Amino acid sequence: MRLFAVALLLIPSLAFAGGQLSFHSFGGDQVVGLYHLNENGGNDTVDATGNGNTGIQQNGCVWVSGQMGSGIYCSGSGKRVDISTGIPLGFNFSRTDAFYIVMRFKVYAGGVSGPVVIGKANLGTNPGWRVLQQVGALNDFAWKVTGGGSSCQWLTGNLTLTSDMNILDGRWHTMIVWWDGTNACTYDTVTRKSGGGGLYFDGKLPVVTLSGTSIGGDPTNNVAPSIGGSSQASTDFTNGTIDEVAFVRGVMTMEKAKRIHALFNASVNTDDQ
């Protein structure tokens, strides 16, 4: 893969340098975990923030080619990357905290219904948060935040039916999910704008269906965050490759989402996007 030289273009707490996300502590946002997944071997993946929240492979994920360096492929029973052996510092977001998660990924046809792409959640109505993927008949994603027995969930429509949001086009895509701490979940069907939380796909607003209006308590638990699968259900694994993941305390905006996606794409040859 041929990387283009990229100038250091800053957004609060995140930047690009050498073709990948970099960590910067300024602008009011705090990156609590940043994973390039560039180890291309072994069981551990380094937290590039220096916070020490190491990612640990479970049940034999496979190192594969990523967009920038290597990536991780965890398609198989119980396969995932757990972040830290305990509850890592900064990942237990309360319902009044603003936070967002950035992920660069490529998915494949098929797969099981509702596997966890990234999450820190118990099953059912227990508190936590997770990104769910359904690649098959529906080809959709969901961002779900649960606390106090109630949830807010933003579920996309079929992302293969629109040419500007086709997840099965063999290219790398940017998913950003966010929670703004207001605990007032809304969605405008005309503008596609969400309140309380939501998601961006390649810097754009997908059509979503919203379930819930608020959560009843903090989405905190004693479950380690995971990438590529779930520690709570062995069948919840992602059918795709993940490369570059950031967990950030701060407010996500449309401007930030567009800039992050544009910087990812500017860092590679367009044939490799």
Side-chain angles (χ1 to χ4, degrees), residues 6 10 24 39 62 78 96 106 116 122 148 151 180 185 191 217 228 266:
V6 180
L10 301 179
H24 290 267
E39 286 76 13
V62 179
T96 58
K106 180 187 290 187
V116 173
N122 289 310
S151 301
D180 67 11
C185 306
T191 65

Side-chain angles (χ1 to χ4, degrees), residues 53-69:
N53 295 319
T54 302
I56 304 169
Q57 276 197 47
Q58 305 294 328
N59 301 308
C61 293
V62 179
W63 293 103
V64 295
S65 295
Q67 181 188 3
M68 294 161 283

